[in-house]
Amino acid sequence: GANNCLMRVNNSTGTITMQAAFPNAITDLCVFGSYLYIAQPTGVFWYMSTAEAFTESNMGRTPTYFATVVNNLWEASTTHVSYSPIPTNGGTAFSTQIAIDTSTNIITDLVGYDSSLYIIKQDRPFYLDSANNVNVLTNMTQGLIKSVLNGCNTVEWQGKLYMPYGTSLLEYDIASG
């Protein structure tokens, strides 16, 4: 995604072409089931089938981020998360929203890994336990300067979370804590 455009890279030639343009900026892309979900926090989300047909959601959600965890698609607004096992029009409604800490720090990324949801906020990262209770992953980042970019582009790689906070990169080993 680039601004409001979804781009395609041809795997044979490397040529980049525009696949589709959306009414609002794309903030996240997520594969769930046989769909690609396209987040637009200033408008409802869209999804694309494997046949490359685009559908505008009628579920009334305006997520900023998505993450797949087991059989659910999780979505995040600025301060809350919720999930749906069938997030397509006519599917299953999203769950009741779960507040993540205080509203003074916004969610800057979501990561699904090994049946857990990690919620990255400006001040520190969180996770949900198996009962969907909110837990602090670490407080190490609380002393850093708060920025809307803190935690953006967090990735899981080889069982570790890599979270950018300011000029620091926090590596969190999920298995050992």
Side-chain angles (χ1 to χ4, degrees):
N3 195 6
N4 70 327
C5 297
L6 183 64
M7 310 302 275
R8 170 196 290 242
V9 178
N10 183 304
N11 66 348
S12 299
T13 65
T15 305
I16 298 173
T17 57
M18 187 170 80
Q19 180 72 21
F22 295 91
N24 303 291
I26 297 169
T27 54
D28 202 11
L29 301 170
C30 184
V31 174
F32 180 70
S34 59
Y35 296 99
L36 174 67
Y37 287 82
I38 302 136
Q40 298 185 101
T42 55
V44 297
F45 69 89
W46 289 70
Y47 53 97
M48 181 179 78
S49 69
T50 55
E52 300 181 3
F54 291 92
T55 304
E56 183 177 17
S57 170
N58 65 6
M59 299 180 85
R61 304 307 263 205
T62 57
T64 305
Y65 303 104
F66 287 122
T68 298
V69 178
V70 188
N71 296 318
N72 289 304
L73 179 71
W74 285 84
E75 58 95 24
S77 62
T78 54
T79 58
H80 294 76
V81 297
S82 61
Y83 65 90
S84 172
I86 308 170
T88 55
N89 294 346
T92 306
F94 278 86
S95 68
T96 301
Q97 291 187 330
I98 301 167
I100 308 300
D101 199 36
T102 66
S103 62
T104 57
N105 295 295
I106 64 169
I107 295 171
T108 57
D109 214 344
L110 279 185
V111 176
Y113 174 71
D114 196 27
S115 72
S116 295
L117 180 68
Y118 297 91
I119 306 103
I120 315 304
K121 293 189 79 173
Q122 288 176 307
D123 64 334
R124 58 190 169 160
F126 296 82
Y127 70 96
L128 297 183
D129 63 21
S130 59
N132 290 338
N133 296 311
V134 179
N135 296 279
V136 174
L137 185 67
T138 181
N139 286 315
M140 294 178 81
T141 56
Q142 279 193 303
L144 300 173
I145 296 171
K146 187 169 70 171
S147 164
V148 294
L149 298 177
N150 281 354
C152 287
N153 301 315
T154 292
V155 297
E156 177 280 325
W157 187 57
Q158 296 185 343
K160 297 176 183 175
L161 288 178
Y162 291 90
M163 301 170 274
Y165 275 87
T167 58
S168 302
L169 181 63
L170 176 65
E171 176 190 76
Y172 186 88
D173 188 327
I174 296 167
S176 70

